[in-house]
């Protein structure tokens, strides 16, 4: 694994997994998403991961004008690396999802490394009422959903990243996705070193357990030697336990309301910056690693640099 002492904190601001009825604090409008991202950057996030939502209903969308507005606003107000999603929501087509790369030419964007089940259909069991019509049907639809990222999709997406000098952060939800990433390197679609995001605890992916994280790192070492870095997402309640383990293992960490809405059991986070602050404090207690600045993170990840708008 590539060694890098500073801890890169990524904050995923709103995502497409949670629906507005799950938390009154989930950012929805472009202004809310940008404000939350700037606050997360002020709290220590060197990367902010961005999805956008319909400002009226909170429904996930890949609307380019909304993306542009949010990315521009954040970039004008702070130095954080602004990382748009190409995952969108799992119902969208790959073509819709990747358009953000040619449109905005970001320095970093996510790239999802395999097809999988992506089950959110259990969430309605915990809620009596939904604020918007679409929410329950959206969650329920994932019972019969395949989040499609075939080899053909990857072989379409990765050259688009390359063409626009956008570094892909490789979202690996299971061990097999690491092998997919290696295959893409071998077939010339990806350059080393790779930056991996282990997404753990999604229904359809690998469980968010300490042993599984060790195994993901072991397999990455076998496949990429010292030509990889990794970051970890523990979905839901596993955000901080798994994040703490990643800090100790020399990896990096993603927190944020895309992945987890709670600051601690029974207490909703009032904003993304609460989650970043908690990660900063945990790291301070556990490892004392410095928190990476956006410039340090850019240099380590080999990014082309901040866009001027
Ligand atoms: N949705 C998360 C589980 C993406 O946006 O491309 C992982 C993610 C992927 O953030
Ligand atoms: Zn995302």
């Amino acid at each position: 694994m590539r060694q890098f002492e500073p801890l890169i904190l990524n904050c995923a601001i709103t995502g497409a997994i949670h629906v507005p009825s799950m938390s009154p604090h989930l950012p929805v409008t472009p202004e809310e998403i940008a404000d939350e991202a700037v606050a997360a950057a002020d709290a220590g996030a060197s990367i902010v991961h961005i999805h956008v939502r319909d400002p009226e209903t909170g429904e996930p969308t890949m609307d380019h004008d909304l993306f542009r507005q949010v990315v521009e606003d954040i970039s004008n107000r702070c130095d954080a690396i602004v990382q748009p999603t190409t995952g969108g929501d799992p119902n969208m087509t790959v073509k819709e999802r990747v358009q953000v790369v040619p449109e905005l030419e970001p320095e970093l964007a996510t790239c999802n490394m395999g097809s999988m089940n992506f089950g959110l259909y259990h969430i309605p069991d915990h809620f009596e009422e939904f604020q918007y019509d679409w929410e329950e049907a959206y969650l329920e639809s994932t019972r019969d959903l395949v989040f499609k990222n075939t080899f053909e999709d990857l072989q379409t997406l990765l050259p688009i990243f390359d063409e626009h000098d956008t570094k892909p952060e490789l979202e690996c939800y299971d061990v097999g996705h690491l092998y997919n990433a290696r295959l893409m390197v071998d077939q010339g679609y990806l350059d080393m070193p790779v930056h991996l995001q282990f997404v753990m605890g999604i229904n359809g992916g690998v469980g968010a357990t300490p042993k599984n994280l060790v195994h993901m790192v072991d397999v990455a070492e076998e496949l990429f030697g010292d030509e990889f870095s990794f970051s970890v997402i523990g979905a839901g309640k596993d955000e901080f336990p798994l994040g703490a383990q990643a800090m100790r293992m020399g990896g990096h960490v993603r927190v944020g309301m895309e992945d987890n809405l709670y600051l601690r059991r029974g207490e909703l986070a009032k904003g993304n910056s609460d989650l970043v602050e908690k990660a900063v404090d945990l790291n301070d207690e556990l490892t004392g690693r410095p928190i990476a600045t956006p410039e340090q993170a850019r240099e380590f990840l080999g990014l082309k640099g901040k866009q001027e708008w």
Side-chain angles (χ1 to χ4, degrees):
M1 177 177 94
R2 296 178 69 210
Q3 301 298 320
F4 186 54
E5 169 75 358
L7 173 68
I8 300 174
L9 286 176
N10 183 336
C11 185
I13 305 298
T14 188
I17 290 181
H18 297 132
V19 299
S21 297
M22 295 172 74
S23 169
H25 310 296
L26 187 72
V28 164
T29 67
E31 293 79 14
E32 286 167 353
I33 294 169
D35 287 350
E36 284 279 315
V38 173
D42 286 346
S46 49
I47 305 175
V48 288
H49 172 70
I50 302 298
H51 291 239
V52 291
R53 293 176 181 268
D54 181 317
E56 302 297 322
T57 64
E59 198 167 358
T61 165
M62 288 301 284
D63 182 282
H64 300 147
D65 293 334
L66 288 172
F67 259 112
R68 185 173 291 275
Q69 184 182 340
V70 169
V71 170
E72 200 174 321
D73 192 5
I74 300 169
S75 305
N76 286 334
R77 291 164 61 194
C78 71
D79 278 334
I81 297 162
V82 184
Q83 177 199 53
T85 179
T86 71
D89 83 44
N91 285 300
M92 294 167 181
T93 67
V94 174
K95 284 214 170 66
E96 277 176 88
R97 285 160 31 195
V98 76
Q99 274 312 314
V100 69
V101 172
E103 281 281 333
L104 300 179
E105 302 199 299
E107 52 187 323
L108 182 69
T110 53
C111 183
N112 293 271
M113 293 310 290
S115 302
M116 58 186 288
N117 293 347
F118 206 114
L120 309 173
Y121 60 87
H122 57 288
I123 294 175
D125 297 346
H126 306 284
F127 290 85
E128 311 233 302
E129 258 181 54
F130 287 95
Q131 208 180 332
Y132 299 101
D133 289 346
W134 63 272
E135 296 176 296
E136 193 170 0
Y138 173 72
L139 298 169
E140 177 54 35
S141 73
T142 64
R143 196 184 292 274
D144 191 30
L145 174 88
V146 177
F147 181 34
K148 182 174 157 321
N149 300 286
T150 61
F151 289 121
E152 181 165 292
D153 294 331
L154 295 174
Q155 291 173 350
T156 307
L157 291 182
L158 291 169
I160 299 175
F161 277 74
D162 199 36
E163 203 180 316
H164 298 279
D165 205 5
T166 296
K167 169 114 179 165
E169 177 194 87
L170 310 180
E171 311 300 299
C172 296
Y173 299 74
D174 215 329
V175 185
H177 296 184
L178 297 171
Y179 288 85
N180 295 351
R182 179 67 229 192
L183 192 62
M184 291 302 104
V185 170
D186 293 342
Q187 296 181 345
Y189 288 94
L190 264 179
D191 293 329
M192 302 243 259
V194 291
H195 184 57
L196 307 169
Q197 181 78 264
F198 300 150
V199 188
M200 304 180 63
I202 298 292
N203 288 324
V206 74
T209 67
K211 269 191 182 172
N212 282 345
L213 177 51
V214 170
H215 186 55
M216 293 289 275
V217 177
D218 280 351
V219 173
E221 300 228 309
E222 259 172 52
L223 295 172
F224 303 106
D226 55 9
E227 290 287 289
F228 79 97
S229 48
F230 78 92
S231 172
V232 172
I233 298 169
K237 66 176 177 26
D238 295 302
E239 179 159 273
F240 291 105
L242 220 62
Q245 186 183 346
M247 290 167 191
R248 288 280 288 115
M249 291 176 79
H252 305 282
V253 176
R254 179 171 118 173
V255 296
M257 291 171 78
E258 171 163 349
D259 306 321
N260 160 46
L261 295 169
Y262 288 85
L263 193 55
R264 56 182 64 81
R265 188 192 291 255
E267 187 186 341
L268 285 169
K270 296 215 168 47
N272 280 278
S273 59
D274 290 359
L275 299 168
V276 177
E277 277 165 19
K278 179 162 174 169
V280 168
D281 290 347
L282 256 181
N283 173 62
D284 211 34
E285 292 289 334
L286 293 177
T287 77
R289 288 169 64 188
I291 301 296
T293 64
E295 265 329 297
Q296 288 172 324
R298 273 188 182 95
E299 199 184 324
F300 176 69
L301 296 172
L303 307 185
K304 65 183 168 187
K306 188 180 170 187
Q307 288 153 292
E308 296 307 330
W309 291 89

